[in-house]
Amino acid sequence: MIDTHTHLYSDEFSDDRHEMIERALHKGVSKFYLPAIDSTTHEKMLDLESQYPERMFAMMGLHPCSVQPESWENELKTVEKYLNERSFPAIGEIGIDLYWDKSTLDIQIKAFEKQIDWAIERDLPIVIHTRESFDEVFEVLERKKHPKLRGIFHCFSGNLEQAKHAVELGFLLGIGGVVTFKNGKIDQFLHEIPLDKIVLETDSPYLAPVPHRGKRNESSYLELVAGKLVDIYKVDFAEIDRITTENAESLFL
Ligand SMILES: [Zn+2]
């Protein structure tokens, strides 16, 4: 399995990071994609990546919650500098978050669009964070429509119509712990979305799947997400693993 979205460099894992990674490897998670947040964590992320060169893959980008009036332009310069220095498998996580702060919508859109331009120029996928912002995100994606624009709706938790719209725009759905929640809703329609549009993720340390809901999430719990997809798609675990792994491999070339 591939965990396409996991913040393993986060401080929540300071005490047992390596044991936690061992547990995930043991459960069959073979690769880990690390989404960037901002300049306060880029170094920690790149440092972890260098410790597990065949396993960890850092993305680069500015998270929408880190788009702040006083610093976003400098933060974007830092992202651009990294993108010019070395290769990354994706630009992320980027997008729009209207749950935490609606007042920054204007600059969130500007930062999102700039990073989409960089992704198209570099032929890279994007990893999108969308929270209470599907309409705004879709508007940007429609405006930026391009044959090279592709990626993942990370932690997808929208409705069927939004899922279909994302797929039509050339995106995959990142499915994590929410699919195991009683009130998560996506488990009720996901079977209508072909499995070749799905990738697995944990979003560790957030959004732990049932029965760990509310506690720290970790990549070994990816097994529980895949297990839920076995019920939804009525195929065996090996098939879920094979198809979602292929989907991730062909996106993150
Ligand atoms: Zn994330």
Side-chain angles (χ1 to χ4, degrees):
M1 290 176 283
I2 296 182
D3 191 347
T4 61
H5 197 111
T6 180
H7 298 269
L8 297 182
Y9 54 85
S10 106
D11 289 341
E12 273 88 343
F13 300 114
S14 301
D15 292 338
D16 63 343
R17 191 171 342 265
H18 298 285
E19 292 91 317
M20 182 268 300
I21 291 167
E22 281 304 316
R23 281 197 289 278
L25 291 169
H26 212 78
K27 288 283 188 184
V29 184
S30 54
K31 289 183 180 170
F32 307 80
Y33 284 85
L34 311 175
I37 302 287
D38 61 30
S39 61
T40 65
T41 50
H42 290 333
E43 274 177 38
K44 281 187 230 175
M45 172 183 73
L46 296 170
D47 184 49
L48 179 62
E49 181 195 48
S50 68
Q51 291 173 45
Y52 293 86
E54 306 296 316
R55 301 286 189 193
M56 306 273 163
F57 303 89
M59 305 177 200
M60 184 45 65
L62 179 62
H63 192 292
C65 293
S66 297
V67 175
Q68 295 302 323
E70 65 286 356
S71 58
W72 71 283
E73 284 165 306
N74 275 330
E75 285 285 345
L76 278 187
K77 277 184 195 146
T78 304
V79 169
E80 190 179 23
K81 187 172 105 17
Y82 277 117
L83 290 173
N84 289 336
E85 268 172 21
R86 51 159 279 187
S87 66
F88 289 92
I91 295 187
E93 58 183 291
I94 64 176
I96 301 176
D97 189 311
L98 297 178
Y99 175 80
W100 291 107
D101 192 354
K102 290 185 181 63
S103 73
T104 56
L105 176 60
D106 276 12
I107 53 177
Q108 286 193 52
I109 291 176
K110 282 184 188 155
F112 187 28
E113 291 189 332
K114 186 80 213 157
Q115 295 180 92
I116 289 174
D117 291 342
W118 291 339
I120 292 170
E121 282 165 23
R122 290 167 174 78
D123 198 8
L124 291 174
I126 61 174
V127 172
I128 304 177
H129 170 109
T130 167
R131 191 155 184 205
E132 295 189 3
S133 60
F134 270 107
D135 292 347
E136 291 81 0
V137 165
F138 283 139
E139 252 174 57
V140 169
L141 296 179
E142 297 282 0
R143 203 156 54 230
K144 290 285 176 187
K145 228 175 193 166
H146 189 282
K148 286 184 177 166
L149 183 56
R150 63 194 189 280
I152 297 173
F153 269 77
H154 136 64
C155 185
F156 182 82
S157 47
N159 58 33
L160 176 59
E161 194 196 332
Q162 289 160 336
K164 285 181 172 166
H165 196 171
V167 168
E168 272 163 29
L169 286 166
F171 283 79
L172 306 176
L173 307 184
I175 300 298
V178 174
V179 78
T180 70
F181 295 175
K182 257 211 168 79
N183 54 356
K185 297 194 178 84
I186 57 172
D187 57 318
Q188 285 155 38
F189 62 77
L190 208 56
H191 63 278
E192 296 191 46
I193 302 296
L195 201 43
D196 66 358
K197 301 297 177 193
I198 305 294
V199 290
L200 304 177
E201 65 166 70
T202 57
D203 201 19
S204 306
Y206 314 108
L207 293 167
V210 173
H212 307 287
R213 190 174 180 179
K215 308 215 178 73
R216 186 186 76 170
N217 197 3
E218 59 173 71
S219 287
S220 67
Y221 300 164
L222 201 61
E223 189 189 36
L224 298 164
V225 174
K228 183 70 189 185
L229 295 186
V230 168
D231 300 341
I232 292 173
Y233 285 97
K234 313 270 186 259
V235 298
D236 62 24
F237 191 94
E239 192 71 351
I240 298 289
D241 181 358
R242 185 182 67 77
I243 296 172
T244 57
T245 297
E246 271 177 22
N247 298 343
E249 299 272 20
S250 49
L251 183 74
F252 298 128
L253 285 174

